C-alpha cells in the first residue's frame, strides 16, 4: 500500500509540474527568474528592459540635483545585445525638456503634430506621443497632465540584429506604460531608498 501511495504522489507531482509550465490558453510560460525581477534603478526592473539590453547591462541611475528630474541609463554589456541601450527619464516637463531636448514644447515637440499619439488603456488623464523614425532608435513621451506638470521620456535603441524583428517604438511605449504610475505620482516609486539611491524626481 505504501508503494502505491508513493507512486501515486509521484505521478500527481509530475502532472502538477507539467501543468505549471503552460498557461491557460495553451501557451508555454517561463518561470520568473529572481535575477530578472531585481530592481536596477528606482522604478525599473531588469525584466522590464532585458529583451533590449540583455541580462547583465551597465546601469547608471542619475538624480539631477536642484531640479525635479530622474534618469536611468541602461547600456547593453552582453555580446548578443551589443550597442543596445535604454534611457528612462521622468520629472517636471520643464526640467525634462531642459535636460533632454524639447520633446514636450518647442520645435522638436512630439505633441505638436510631429509625433504619433498613443494612449494607455484605463488611463484617462494624460497623453502620449512617440517618434516614427522606422529605424533602430525611437522615443516615447507621456504628459501626465497633473498638478506638478510631470512627464516621462523613454529612448530605446536596438542592436542591429534585434532590430530585424523588434520595433523600438513598441518597446518605448511599453516602458512608458510600466513606469507611468509612479513617474506621474500616483504610486510610490518602487525600490527608492533616499539614503541609498538617487532621487527619482521629486
Amino acid at each position: 500500500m505504501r508503494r502505491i501511495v508513493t507512486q501515486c504522489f509521484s505521478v500527481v507531482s509530475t502532472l502538477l509540474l507539467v501543468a505549471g509550465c503552460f498557461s491557460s490558453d495553451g501557451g508555454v510560460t517561463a518561470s520568473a527568474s529572481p535575477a530578472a525581477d531585481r530592481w536596477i534603478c528606482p522604478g525599473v526592473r531588469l525584466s522590464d528592459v532585458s529583451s533590449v539590453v540583455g541580462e547583465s547591462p551597465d546601469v547608471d541611475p542619475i538624480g539631477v540635483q536642484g531640479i525635479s528630474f530622474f534618469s536611468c541609463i541602461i547600456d547593453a554589456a552582453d555580446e548578443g545585445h551589443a550597442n543596445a541601450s535604454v534611457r528612462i527619464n521622468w520629472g517636471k516637463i520643464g526640467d525634462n525638456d531642459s535636460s533632454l531636448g524639447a520633446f514636450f514644447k518647442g520645435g522638436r515637440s512630439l505633441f505638436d503634430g510631429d509625433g504619433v499619439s498613443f494612449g494607455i488603456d484605463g488611463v484617462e488623464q494624460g497623453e502620449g506621443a512617440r517618434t516614427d523614425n522606422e529605424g533602430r532608435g525611437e522615443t516615447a513621451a507621456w504628459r501626465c497632465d497633473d498638478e506638478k506638470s510631470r512627464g516621462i521620456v523613454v529612448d530605446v535603441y536596438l542592436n542591429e540584429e534585434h532590430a530585424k524583428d523588434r520595433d523600438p517604438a513598441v518597446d518605448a511605449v511599453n516602458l512608458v506604460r510600466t513606469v507611468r504610475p509612479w513617474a506621474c505620482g500616483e504610486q510610490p516609486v518602487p525600490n527608492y531608498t533616499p539614503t541609498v539611491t538617487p532621487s527619482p524626481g521629486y
Side-chain angles (χ1 to χ4, degrees), residues 11 178 196 201:
V11 171
T178 298
V196 178

Side-chain angles (χ1 to χ4, degrees), residues 147-166:
E147 73 284 355
K148 292 189 177 181
S149 189
R150 289 178 271 211
I152 308 163
V153 177
V154 174
D155 296 314
V156 172
Y157 189 80
L158 300 175
N159 77 352
E160 188 172 0
E161 186 63 29
H162 290 161
K164 296 176 182 178
D165 53 16
R166 293 187 70 87

Side-chain angles (χ1 to χ4, degrees), residues 108-153:
R108 296 181 60 199
S109 172
L110 296 176
F111 295 89
D112 293 334
D114 291 335
V116 178
S117 63
F118 69 89
I120 297 177
D121 290 344
V123 177
E124 296 182 0
Q125 183 171 321
E127 60 178 329
R130 64 170 178 82
T131 56
D132 188 22
N133 297 327
E134 298 184 356
R136 292 163 59 185
E138 297 282 1
T139 299
W142 182 265
R143 186 155 45 199
C144 299
D145 285 344
D146 65 332
E147 73 284 355
K148 292 189 177 181
S149 189
R150 289 178 271 211
I152 308 163
V153 177

Side-chain angles (χ1 to χ4, degrees), residues 70-84:
F70 175 75
S71 182
C72 181
I73 302 172
I74 310 161
D75 294 309
D78 299 347
E79 184 176 345
H81 294 77
N83 301 318

Side-chain angles (χ1 to χ4, degrees), residues 4 29 80 88 100 105 127 141 150 163 187 189 200:
I4 293 173
T29 58
I88 301 173
L100 302 173
K105 300 176 183 178
E127 60 178 329
R150 289 178 271 211
Q187 299 177 13
V189 181

